[in-house]
């Protein structure tokens, strides 16, 4: 896959190449709320992982997701993962300092479970937007067609993978830098069935708490609604950032 941004659009920052917003501006797109790189503003501050604000009002995704659903999901569930991650890291630090690493296996599992939950939920909020679901455009559209043949084929595979997650977990659209391709993946729980090194671009929460108040056991209805508000601009921004960081 080729890229159509020039070297002057790439800023070397912190040792990594980060795509500047110049190409977004040229394409007439506004800066995504998630920022222009792979960092997730608000998800880590003052030396601790943190609960970022939603990138829109709690009622902004109605009727797909209600104000009440988002309050519970963000303020309670997501917050619990942030707290669990910081607690696990504190305990790991204490264990490291004391030299008593007997509990490292359980603590490492806590860190992976809560850390993956925190990152995936932060991505999830940006994976939707009011008025989303528009046609994928630009360089990201070419990548989608190269990996899936068409946008419709991607959406169908993403929806089926999300619907068919066994028990609780996520549907994930990811960039795999080794082969320079896009993959649709299933994650069981938050941390199982991943491939190390992938960069998630768009995620759908199919844990029951994400949809049960409104969709009860009808996960397919929830997933079909999710894709209608999917934020492909956010996925495209992350894709461009991932490509810029990949190197040759
Ligand atoms: Mn959730």
């Amino acid at each position: 896959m080729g890229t159509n941004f020039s070297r002057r659009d790439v800023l070397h920052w912190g040792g990594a190449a980060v795509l500047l917003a110049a190409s977004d501006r040229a394409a007439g797109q506004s800066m995504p709320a998630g920022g222009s790189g792979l960092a997730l503003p608000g998800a880590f501050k003052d030396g601790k992982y943190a609960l970022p604000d939603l990138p829109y009002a709690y009622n902004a995704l109605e009727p797909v997701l209600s104000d009440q659903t988002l309050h519970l999901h963000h303020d309670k569930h997501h917050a619990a993962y942030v707290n669990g991650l910081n607690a696990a890291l504190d305990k790991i630090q204490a264990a490291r300092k004391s030299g008593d690493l007997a509990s490292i296996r359980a603590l490492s599992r806590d860190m992976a479970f809560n850390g993956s939950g925190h990152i995936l939920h932060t991505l999830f909020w940006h994976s939707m937007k009011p008025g989303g679901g528009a046609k994928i455009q630009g360089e990201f559209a070419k990548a989608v067609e190269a990996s899936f043949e068409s946008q419709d084929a991607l959406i169908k595979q993403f929806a089926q993978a999300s619907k068919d997650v066994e028990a609780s977990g996520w549907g994930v659209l990811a960039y795999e830098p080794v082969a320079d391709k896009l993959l649709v993946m299933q994650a069981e729980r938050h941390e199982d069935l991943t491939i190390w090194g992938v960069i998630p671009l768009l995620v759908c929460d199919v844990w029951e708490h994400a949809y049960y108040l409104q969709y009860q056991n009808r996960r397919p209805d929830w997933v079909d609604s999710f894709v209608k508000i999917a934020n492909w601009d956010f996925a495209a921004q992350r894709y461009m950032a991932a490509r810029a960081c990949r190197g040759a």
Side-chain angles (χ1 to χ4, degrees):
M1 287 186 289
T3 53
N4 65 1
F5 52 88
S6 66
R7 282 211 175 273
R8 68 188 160 76
D9 288 331
V10 177
L11 170 72
H12 290 274
W13 178 64
V18 178
L19 186 69
L20 283 176
S23 56
D24 284 347
R25 283 197 300 275
Q29 296 167 349
S30 59
M31 272 289 288
S36 62
L38 293 176
L40 294 166
F44 185 88
K45 56 185 172 189
D46 301 328
K48 292 272 186 192
Y49 288 95
L51 181 65
D53 292 336
L54 289 180
Y56 33 70
Y58 285 93
N59 62 2
L61 300 180
E62 289 184 338
V64 171
L65 286 173
S66 70
D67 182 287
Q68 184 190 22
T69 294
L70 277 197
H71 266 290
L72 278 170
H73 197 178
H74 175 267
D75 303 357
K76 305 294 183 192
H77 289 279
H78 187 173
Y81 294 120
V82 174
N83 294 336
L85 174 57
N86 285 324
L89 287 167
D90 285 347
K91 287 177 190 167
I92 287 169
Q93 183 181 38
R96 203 167 51 229
K97 280 184 176 165
S98 73
D100 178 5
L101 294 171
S103 57
I104 201 66
R105 181 169 174 270
L107 291 174
S108 297
R109 289 178 70 103
D110 281 354
M111 178 182 67
F113 177 76
N114 288 291
S116 294
H118 176 38
I119 299 302
L120 285 167
H121 280 91
T122 304
L123 293 172
F124 177 57
W125 308 131
H126 287 290
S127 293
M128 304 174 283
K129 70 173 181 179
K135 193 167 162 48
I136 301 165
Q137 300 192 346
E139 193 72 15
F140 186 49
K142 289 183 203 160
V144 165
E145 277 152 29
S147 292
F148 301 99
E149 289 169 29
S150 74
Q151 298 189 19
D152 280 352
L154 159 64
I155 290 168
K156 281 186 183 148
Q157 186 182 341
F158 183 86
Q160 197 66 49
S162 298
K163 293 170 189 180
D164 289 352
V165 171
E166 191 169 326
S168 297
W170 301 76
V172 178
L173 171 63
Y175 174 66
E176 198 290 287
V178 174
D180 187 24
K181 68 198 287 184
L182 300 167
L183 296 173
V184 166
M185 305 171 66
Q186 294 178 313
E188 292 177 4
R189 290 160 47 93
H190 302 304
E191 69 279 35
D192 299 346
L193 299 185
T194 189
I195 295 175
W196 296 108
V198 303
I199 297 162
L201 304 180
L202 186 89
V203 299
C204 177
D205 191 341
V206 292
W207 285 63
E208 281 189 348
H209 66 241
Y211 59 89
Y212 204 83
L213 274 179
Q214 288 171 264
Y215 297 86
Q216 288 82 48
N217 60 335
R218 301 187 310 279
R219 182 190 288 180
D221 289 357
W222 151 236
V223 174
D224 289 338
S225 297
F226 168 88
V227 297
K228 288 178 185 153
I229 57 165
N231 185 354
W232 297 109
D233 289 342
F234 176 68
Q237 168 255 310
R238 284 183 58 81
Y239 166 71
M240 296 301 286
R243 286 299 315 282
C245 291
R246 178 175 181 260

